[in-house]
Amino acid sequence: MIPLQKNNGCNCGCQGKRAPALRINKIGAIAQPGTHPAGCCSEKATLAVSACASTDSCCAPKTGEHSHTSDNGNAEGSPGEDEPVSPLSGSQQYSWKVQGMDCPACARKIEKAVSGIDGISHAKVLFATEKLVIDAGFDITQNVQNAVTAAGFTLQSLDKPQEKPAAEPSRLQEALPLIALSALMLLSWVLDHFNPQMGKIAFIATTLVGLWPVLRQAIRQTRAGSPFAIETLMSIAAIGALFIGATAEAAMVLLLFMVGERLEAFASSRARSGVKALMALIPDAAIRIVNGKPETVQVSSLRPGDIIEIAAGARLPADAVLQSAASFDESALTGESVPVDHLPGEKVPAGSLCVDRLARLEVASAPGNSAIDRILQLIEEADERRAPIERFLDTFSRYYTPVIMLMSLLVIVIPPLAMGLSWETWIYRGLTLLLIGCPCALVISTPAAITSGLAAATRQGALIKGGAALEQLALIQTVALDKTGTLTEGKPEVTDILPLNGASEGEVLSLASAVEEGSHHPLAQAILARAKASNPLPLTAQDRRALAGSGVEGVVSGRKIQVLAPKSVAQNSLTTETLGQITDWESSGKTVVVVLQDENAIGLIAMQDRLRDDAAEALQKLKALGVSAVMLTGDNPRAAKTIADRLGIDFRAGLLPADKVTAVTALNAQKPVAMVGDGINDAPAMKAATIGIAMGSGTDVALETADAALTHNRLNGLAQMISLSRATRANIRQNITIALGLKAIFLVTTLMGLTGLWLAVLADSGATALVTANALRLLRNKSK
């Protein structure tokens, strides 16, 4: 159990409001969840790291206009579309690990069992990570323990992470009840073959042995507020079968039910295997360097600033910054099979495997806030975003079972009373109908497929935020893509410098770099990189500031220096030849800025971004799926046309953030659209689209706004993601057809007297096994 204080006594006016639950930066630098808005003065507050938190001009829309302000016109660092999550209603949050859950229906039972406890304002079971999270006004630990235990499940405290968790039962221990009941069933059958009277007694004994745990669980579920659980149906059917003398079938019902339960547990375990694999990436211990000497410590004791050593073949216990060059296999997190070479000063995500040498690193993440931890938080968040069809089936099943129970009662009562038919015959048929009413296969049909689909996506290097997003992805017919940082690498390079009015090339570059110093804008970074290579002794500018939608300016040696987009420069400041040169460069796909000194143009700087290596291939794969593509960019039309022609796609150029929203809205009115981007200026368009997809290298705001993220930062993942979502949607339809189809068939055959109890439960267990096996096929999905 972990109590989390909601208000740290902050005096900044945030009043304990929660920051967004999760922000993702590059896969190794996912910004940690916060409890206060950025800028909170409390030392206890956890600040949400943002790519725009610095005072430099990094939040500009990535266009040829070279603007250095945020896209909504606010000051840099403005949250824009970043909406905070509402604060929890209680003062503390508690969490436990739940043991014994076999399916999402178990999660619903636990939620129902604890929701009625006084003091609890919100309860949620996260099935994927097997966690119970409760929001309460005071300590309700013991009450929750009692309620969950009474419902037939076990809670494990999470407030002592260094303690060894309770050992999970082995497969043999889990299968022991099934083995014992099978042995008793076989013995009963043998006795019945030689002595029917003894066989009948043996079947009764076998039924009672199998019935006891099921009946006990049914009573627990009823007390916990779930009277129509599968255990209740099985108990009634078995007792009813004993009552009419169908002893062998009563025993068979319980045996087949137990087989179905084991199959369901196996399927759930497989579906959660991806989550468990992520958890296993973090080692239990690490080697920390203290006063130059190595010592082995628990990973939970590591703090930012600690120096650790990782041997070749070992995994990184926390996000850390390299102090010496080394190669790391990050495939478990990104899906990228080729090891990544990292240089000193680069950040490496937790869970990465050191492949070539002993590496020394500085810990950069606090316990519970590594890349792995934050991915798990995202999975938990996705678990709450259920697909519409899943929510519908969950609601449907609540009414379906009581209706079937009523129908079963009517089948038992009406024919004997109204038509004088045999009580024994119609009790038997009514009990058979009761078993057909079990909703297990139907309830698990959708979550099993979605859980498998999300796990498969994670393996492919994509994070999809829940079943709703997964379902929407299958409907996408158009993909709108940002240019810079999405279709291109987002790392432009200076290609040409043209001095004007007697200035030298070095002077133009030095003055431009002086006012760009400190900016994280891609174009600014290109100028700074070229200046550093040409002149290691840069000039210094004062009074630097961003000009909204235009560029930047500052004062160097008492003279005002501006770096502006050509459209922001007075036309009489540029000659016809200069304007012609700008047109030529822009026509070849380059972005141009004008450097001015005291309002006089002294030079032009042209930069060009490189297309991603997989951009053309990714668009071809989308086309093969019947998905069209369009590029939305703030760059100039001539540069945009060059890129679009090379890729063979449509484009819209010269767009401000609001224009992108308008374009996406118009496209969305025709066909479902996915917006793919990586910048703050893409976030509004992502929200306007049917679904937003962020590049893994994007800003926090873009990643948080998006419904899915490509953590490996490869555009090929778009086609994989859409293909997988379509396969998942088809899988759900297949599962529902199997579940309802078998029930419809056996409903008719039961009323006609063609099928009996054991075939009914076999149909239910068989349907459950079929839908789970069908869902598990998604785990083998290897979309190309």
Side-chain angles (χ1 to χ4, degrees), residues 31 80 100 118 121 208 285 295 342 474 511 544 624 699 712:
D118 291 339
S121 55
L208 293 176
E295 63 177 21
H342 286 283
L511 290 173
R544 291 194 304 268
T699 61
H712 51 37

Side-chain angles (χ1 to χ4, degrees), residues 265-274 276 452 455 459 776 779-780:
F266 171 74
S268 297
S269 177
R270 284 292 307 274
R272 287 195 296 247
S273 60
K276 291 181 178 179
S452 296
R459 291 180 181 180
L776 289 175
L779 293 174
R780 299 195 296 272

Side-chain angles (χ1 to χ4, degrees), residues 149-398:
T149 301
F153 301 92
T154 305
L155 291 183
Q156 178 187 328
S157 175
L158 296 176
D159 62 345
K160 298 179 180 179
Q162 294 188 28
E163 287 189 3
K164 188 176 181 180
E168 295 186 2
S170 65
R171 291 186 179 180
L172 179 60
Q173 289 175 314
E174 290 178 341
L176 200 56
L178 177 59
I179 295 171
L181 192 61
S182 300
L184 288 173
M185 190 71 186
L186 179 61
L187 179 61
S188 301
W189 180 80
V190 171
L191 285 174
D192 184 65
H193 185 71
F194 292 103
N195 188 332
Q197 189 63 31
M198 288 298 296
K200 187 173 183 179
I201 295 173
F203 277 125
I204 292 174
T206 300
T207 301
L208 293 176
V209 169
L211 178 62
W212 169 241
V214 179
L215 181 60
R216 184 175 59 178
Q217 184 69 0
I219 294 171
R220 285 174 171 174
Q221 298 291 358
T222 301
R223 288 177 176 174
S226 301
F228 302 115
I230 175 60
E231 291 83 2
T232 304
L233 301 182
M234 290 298 164
S235 298
I236 294 174
I239 293 171
L242 287 178
F243 177 74
I244 62 174
T247 56
E249 290 181 287
M252 181 61 75
V253 163
L254 294 169
L255 177 62
L256 291 175
F257 170 66
M258 196 170 289
V259 170
E261 289 286 283
R262 292 308 313 144
L263 287 172
E264 200 170 314
F266 171 74
S268 297
S269 177
R270 284 292 307 274
R272 287 195 296 247
S273 60
V275 175
K276 291 181 178 179
L278 274 176
M279 294 177 175
L281 291 178
I282 301 294
D284 295 326
I287 297 178
R288 181 169 58 192
I289 306 301
V290 180
N291 297 325
K293 297 181 180 180
E295 63 177 21
T296 302
V297 298
Q298 291 289 326
V299 169
S300 58
S301 68
L302 294 177
R303 295 293 182 273
D306 287 350
I307 304 300
I308 57 174
E309 279 188 348
I310 303 296
R315 290 198 179 273
L316 196 58
D319 297 348
V321 177
L322 265 174
Q323 293 190 339
S324 57
S327 295
F328 286 85
D329 178 357
E330 301 176 6
S331 58
L333 287 86
T334 66
E336 179 58 66
S337 58
V338 179
V340 180
D341 294 327
H342 286 283
L343 299 175
E346 291 186 349
K347 193 173 184 179
V348 185
S352 300
L353 182 71
C354 185
V355 297
D356 59 351
R357 68 190 69 180
L358 181 71
R360 183 167 288 194
L361 308 94
E362 180 182 337
V363 175
S365 64
N369 283 307
S370 69
I372 297 292
D373 296 314
R374 293 187 293 273
I375 290 175
L376 290 172
Q377 290 169 21
L378 177 58
I379 292 172
E380 290 177 354
E381 182 181 296
D383 199 34
E384 299 182 11
R385 302 183 183 184
R386 293 190 291 158
I389 191 170
E390 184 181 357
R391 293 196 298 269
F392 168 75
L393 289 176
D394 192 33
T395 303
F396 174 75
S397 66
R398 295 176 190 173

Side-chain angles (χ1 to χ4, degrees), residues 483 566-567 578-592 608 631 633-646 651-654:
K483 181 177 78 72
K567 73 172 187 177
T578 301
L579 291 172
Q581 182 62 71
I582 292 174
T583 301
D584 290 343
W585 279 342
E586 289 183 343
S587 298
S588 63
K590 297 178 181 179
T591 299
V592 183
Q608 190 167 35
M631 180 176 71
T633 178
D635 211 343
N636 67 80
R638 288 185 292 272
K641 185 177 187 303
T642 301
I643 297 294
D645 289 345
R646 288 173 61 186
F651 73 96
R652 311 279 192 279

